[in-house]
Amino acid sequence: MSYFFDFEAEFASSLRCIPMIVRYKLDMCGVKLKLLHWLQLSHKQRQWLVVTPCDTPEDQANYRQQLRDWVTKNHGSPPSDLEISQPYPWNITTKLPEVIQQQLTKVPHHGLTVEKWAALTPLQRFALLKLSQPGHENRNFWPALQEFGLV
């Protein structure tokens, strides 16, 4: 099983950047992890964050606590909390999020419809949301659309 998207290939094996699977888990458990914090973790700890489940409330609590303990030990203070939106925005499948619609205006010949949005996995929807945020360089939005079969 691959935990990484193809558009993350340039840094996935080294774990020098926070991969989408970990960003997804961070949003689910309410932790704002800075790149500095990520880089202070050992490679083994980063791998743990990639592979450890974060699906149930118990998983999320354990993931959150372990990460907070590691960051506090390495950095001297815990990471910031992140507001947890319920339902998770990527789980709303009845319409395309506004931020996605805005990003799609820059993409010619895309095939993203509400039906195709709903058919994506939650992680794929999460990735597209993250890759279309204002202030994000958005360079992987097009490769993600390609990877997900939407162009």
Side-chain angles (χ1 to χ4, degrees), residues 46-87:
R46 292 180 212 169
Q47 287 176 318
W48 185 91
L49 293 169
V50 168
V51 301
T52 298
C54 197
D55 302 316
T56 67
E58 183 179 79
D59 290 344
Q60 292 163 2
N62 291 336
Y63 192 93
R64 176 183 170 82
Q65 189 58 54
Q66 182 61 74
L67 181 56
R68 290 178 60 80
D69 289 349
W70 285 336
V71 171
T72 300
K73 182 179 177 188
N74 294 341
H75 191 68
S77 60
S80 301
D81 291 333
L82 188 64
E83 183 180 336
I84 300 174
S85 300
Q86 290 290 345

Side-chain angles (χ1 to χ4, degrees), residues 4-16 140 147:
F4 308 109
F5 292 117
D6 291 345
F7 65 80
E8 299 177 295
E10 93 181 47
F11 64 82
S13 63
S14 69
L15 294 177
R16 64 178 169 81
N140 284 324
E147 183 174 341

Side-chain angles (χ1 to χ4, degrees), residues 106-125:
K106 304 171 190 172
V107 178
H109 312 296
H110 69 83
L112 185 55
T113 62
V114 173
E115 293 78 19
K116 288 182 180 178
W117 171 255
L120 295 172
T121 68
L123 181 57
Q124 289 172 323
R125 289 191 300 267

